[in-house]
Amino acid sequence: MDYSPRYGQFRAMLRTIRLEARLSQTELASKLGKQQLFVSRSELGERRIDFLETLDFCMACGMTVAQFIDRLEQVAPDREEKRPKRRSPRRMDRMGRLTGS
């Protein structure tokens, strides 16, 4: 999947803390009650990780979320310039139904 550079840094940091905790993907998956494929796909970006999963990742690696966020802020690139939002040619009517093409 094609995610932002910031999300790439996030995934890289998850992998880094796992390696620093000296955990294999299989060992981390076991601590999380998941399969190894879950950890692999999360680190590769084949699946997105939500906030609660991030909490679990951090706890299993012996790190607080505050520590994780501090480290992530140090390595994350500056915020990207926002692109103008594309406007859809379709509109919603008062009933919430899409109109137009």
Side-chain angles (χ1 to χ4, degrees):
M1 300 212 153
D2 187 26
Y3 297 119
S4 72
R6 289 174 60 209
Y7 191 72
Q9 290 291 335
F10 170 77
R11 290 187 350 258
M13 184 59 65
L14 287 176
R15 183 173 190 269
T16 298
I17 67 168
R18 175 181 61 79
L19 293 173
E20 288 174 355
R22 300 193 186 288
L23 294 172
S24 67
Q25 288 183 346
T26 304
E27 292 166 333
L28 177 58
S30 178
K31 284 185 165 208
L32 296 172
K34 306 279 185 182
Q35 295 181 347
Q36 178 271 333
L37 199 54
F38 169 84
V39 176
S40 176
R41 286 182 174 165
S42 299
E43 289 180 358
L44 291 172
E46 293 176 2
R47 68 173 306 282
R48 285 192 70 93
I49 301 173
D50 68 25
F51 183 73
L52 295 176
E53 291 168 337
T54 302
L55 292 174
D56 294 340
F57 245 83
C58 290
M59 285 192 325
C61 292
M63 178 177 280
T64 67
V65 174
Q67 291 169 322
F68 179 80
I69 291 170
D70 287 342
R71 288 184 61 183
L72 187 60
E73 286 178 334
Q74 292 173 10
V75 299
D78 292 337
R79 292 190 176 241
E80 304 153 12
E81 287 186 31
K82 293 212 175 202
R83 295 181 293 185
K85 190 172 181 179
R86 289 190 329 200
R87 292 182 121 352
S88 172
R90 301 183 332 170
R91 303 279 180 246
M92 279 195 197
D93 64 13
R94 285 184 278 160
M95 300 300 289
R97 296 175 297 217
L98 291 176
T99 61
S101 53

